[in-house]
Amino acid sequence: MATVTDQAVGASLVGFSLLLFTYYSIWVIVLPFVDADHVLHQYFLPREYTVILPGVAALVVLLCIGAFVGAVMLKNRKPKKVD
Amino acid sequence: MLLFQEYHGIGLTSYLCAKLSWLSKDGLIPVPVVLREISNIMTKLLEWVFGVSVVGAAWAFVTFDILKMSIPRTYREVAWPMPLYLLVTFGCYSLATVGYRVATFNDCDDAAKELQAQIIEAREDLRKKGLKF
């Protein structure tokens, strides 16, 4: 059995991704078929953000990965040998 | 000579080749030979590229209205973000799979402790026999 923190982290990841998937699916696929004056539209941002938000998120992820790789490479530099 | 149910490649073309091999039993139709040659060219990569281009072309035709098919506006409104939507879906699926595997990981605490004890025991034993650590 995984530790309690592991289970909590795992469950929160699953829950978060389910939430994200449901929100994004309704936003992209369901909303165009719903009338413009329906109350559902007020819970969703304007449609341009379906492209902008994942784009910004992808950039942030790439930045984090690059920073991590850079930090690890800096840490593992071997000092120059003195002959 | 290719036997009936044996097929040596992976993928669709080599499967078809095996199924159609009865055609060339008397050397009548060289179809399986041709298909076998194609399956050596048609790697998995090419199959994927082919599939992706077909789907991509279908999406492009709908989004940019290339054939002037006059699809209703709401369907086009759903179609144009599709590649991005599929990417987000794949990301969510990956995240959910990682989370699930982390939550259901099978730690064996007892086995870990036993292993640590055995390592210490082995180290002592080797030190007595003269191996320097």
Side-chain angles (χ1 to χ4, degrees):
Chain A
M1 286 298 289
T3 58
V4 177
T5 30
D6 277 354
Q7 281 181 331
V9 167
S12 64
L13 276 179
V14 171
F16 173 71
S17 66
L18 273 176
L19 223 66
L20 192 64
F21 174 69
T22 320
Y23 187 84
Y24 199 70
S25 300
I26 298 179
W27 201 10
V28 171
I29 296 180
V30 174
L31 275 193
F33 294 103
V34 161
D35 290 330
D37 51 1
H38 196 280
V39 75
L40 195 61
H41 280 277
Q42 74 188 47
Y43 293 107
F44 292 91
L45 296 167
R47 216 163 152 73
E48 302 84 62
Y49 289 97
T50 58
V51 178
I52 297 172
L53 285 179
V56 167
L59 274 174
V60 167
V61 164
L62 281 174
L63 266 171
C64 290
I65 293 174
F68 177 75
V69 168
V72 168
M73 283 175 75
L74 276 174
K75 202 173 104 176
N76 288 351
R77 267 180 317 186
K78 285 202 173 31
K80 284 210 171 86
K81 275 193 191 155
V82 181
D83 281 321
Chain B
M1 198 172 73
L2 190 67
L3 297 175
F4 288 127
Q5 289 302 316
E6 255 175 55
Y7 66 104
H8 301 282
I10 45 171
L12 186 60
T13 40
S14 43
Y15 173 75
L16 281 176
C17 173
K19 286 298 166 191
L20 289 172
S21 60
W22 60 269
L23 278 174
S24 84
K25 201 165 120 185
D26 295 68
L28 288 174
I29 302 173
V31 170
V33 176
V34 172
L35 278 183
R36 183 154 157 234
E37 290 311 308
I38 294 175
S39 91
N40 290 336
I41 304 168
M42 182 63 90
T43 61
K44 274 293 173 202
L45 176 67
L46 274 180
E47 274 184 30
W48 269 89
V49 167
F50 184 67
V52 166
S53 352
V54 166
V55 172
W59 173 80
F61 278 126
V62 173
T63 307
F64 302 113
D65 214 12
I66 293 175
L67 290 176
K68 302 278 181 281
M69 284 184 285
S70 48
I71 296 169
R73 199 179 161 274
T74 42
Y75 290 99
R76 291 185 56 205
E77 198 55 35
V78 170
W80 75 257
M82 266 306 129
L84 199 59
Y85 174 76
L86 289 173
L87 204 63
V88 171
T89 307
F90 173 69
C92 285
Y93 168 73
S94 307
L95 200 63
T97 307
V98 165
Y100 178 71
R101 297 273 165 88
V102 165
T104 56
F105 191 77
N106 206 9
D107 280 350
C108 317
D109 282 334
D110 299 334
K113 289 199 185 78
E114 193 183 329
L115 189 63
Q116 295 290 356
Q118 284 179 344
I119 289 173
I120 294 173
E121 195 184 315
R123 200 175 277 167
E124 274 310 309
D125 192 37
L126 286 170
R127 192 169 287 144
K128 283 199 193 90
K129 295 197 177 130
L131 194 64
K132 298 231 189 327
F133 278 95

